[in-house]
Amino acid sequence: MAKLIGLNKIKTAVFISGTGSNLKNLINFSKTKKSPISIDLIISNIIKAKGLRYGNQYKIKKKILNFKNIKIAEKKLLNLLKQNKIQFICLAGFMKILSSKFIKQFNGKIINIHPSLLPRYKGLNTHSRAIQNKDKFTGCSVHYVTEKLDSGKIIIQKKIKILKKDTPKSLAKKVLKQEHKLYPKAILKIFN
Ligand code: GRF
């Protein structure tokens, strides 16, 4: 019976560029009975991305793609996704912007996690911007990926209080902890 688990799950690829804590969290979630997805492929544009270690640890296929030439990279990527029968894509700290051509091929099937309460603070350095603006709250959002950066339909958000003593670093830590809860929730919301 245990061997059957995962067979009918939605084949998913996770794209990373860094630490991969969200990737690790998604892998653990994917192994639970309630998860509609299985993680079958890890993509990184960075050869030294720490998160790639989870490919070895959990025996998940991983591939590093050089995005210097985005056209070539995306062509290879599309082939890889096809070969591995990938149906769904989760971006988790992936620092490259995918072309609209690529996104169209996976329309409505790519999601991303972003460390702010979108539409506030699209792009980078979200925590320092929130502190600088003396915001009372920040948070994280999971959204569909469209051609416009961090602008697709929001699936779910979590609000977090900013304390006077918070720094961009302390805030990043707090938000990341919530991201790990929010990403699986978003996936359950999409597929249930
Ligand atoms: C997260 O804060 C995510 O929201 C952002 O990049 C960070 C990735 O962290 N897009 P990790 O690599 O999953 O640890």
Side-chain angles (χ1 to χ4, degrees):
M1 187 63 192
K3 274 189 184 159
L4 284 176
I5 292 174
L7 275 188
N8 297 316
K9 292 189 176 184
I10 296 149
K11 282 182 170 285
T12 300
V14 182
F15 292 12
I16 62 163
S17 299
T19 316
S21 70
N22 276 293
L23 164 65
K24 183 182 180 209
N25 181 62
L26 285 177
I27 295 171
N28 285 325
F29 167 67
S30 74
K31 292 178 182 298
T32 63
K33 220 175 166 188
K34 66 176 176 191
S35 167
I37 63 160
S38 61
I39 311 288
D40 299 277
L41 185 64
I42 299 164
I43 299 289
S44 173
N45 64 312
I46 303 279
I47 199 163
K48 285 188 176 158
K50 280 191 186 160
L52 282 169
R53 75 174 83 152
Y54 300 120
N56 303 336
Q57 197 174 320
Y58 293 95
K59 301 199 169 34
I60 299 170
K61 201 172 196 179
K62 58 185 166 111
K63 197 83 192 170
I64 298 137
L65 289 173
N66 184 344
F67 266 75
K68 264 199 182 137
N69 184 324
I70 188 165
K71 264 196 174 167
I72 295 175
E74 287 189 343
K75 203 173 167 200
K76 284 186 186 165
L77 187 53
L78 275 173
N79 279 333
L80 266 169
L81 297 171
K82 232 187 229 166
Q83 277 163 22
N84 290 280
K85 301 190 169 59
I86 297 299
Q87 301 159 289
F88 191 63
I89 296 170
C90 294
L91 307 185
F94 184 63
M95 301 300 284
K96 285 285 167 190
I97 295 173
L98 295 162
S99 73
S100 52
K101 196 176 163 205
F102 179 89
I103 292 168
K104 267 186 200 135
Q105 309 245 14
F106 272 84
N107 200 14
K109 291 177 183 130
I110 312 177
I111 63 172
N112 180 43
I113 188 146
H114 185 77
S116 80
L117 287 175
L118 289 171
R120 276 179 93 71
Y121 310 126
K122 296 171 184 175
L124 298 175
N125 305 318
T126 55
H127 306 304
S128 49
R129 286 194 275 158
I131 288 175
Q132 235 161 35
N133 285 338
K134 300 195 168 33
D135 289 357
K136 290 206 164 63
F137 293 95
T138 185
C140 41
S141 314
V142 180
H143 64 94
Y144 286 102
V145 173
T146 59
E147 294 168 30
K148 260 182 132 191
L149 182 72
D150 299 329
S151 299
K153 190 176 167 227
I154 292 164
I155 299 155
I156 193 168
Q157 289 183 308
K158 171 77 186 174
K159 204 168 165 185
I160 295 155
K161 206 165 184 219
I162 302 180
L163 306 176
K164 279 226 167 77
K165 61 176 184 193
D166 269 323
T167 62
K169 205 175 162 190
S170 72
L171 212 50
K173 206 172 157 190
K174 271 199 269 186
V175 172
L176 193 61
K177 207 171 158 195
Q178 292 306 319
E179 289 182 32
H180 297 159
K181 292 187 185 159
L182 197 69
Y183 220 158
K185 266 193 196 166
I187 291 166
L188 286 171
K189 194 172 169 190
I190 291 170
F191 293 108
N192 284 345

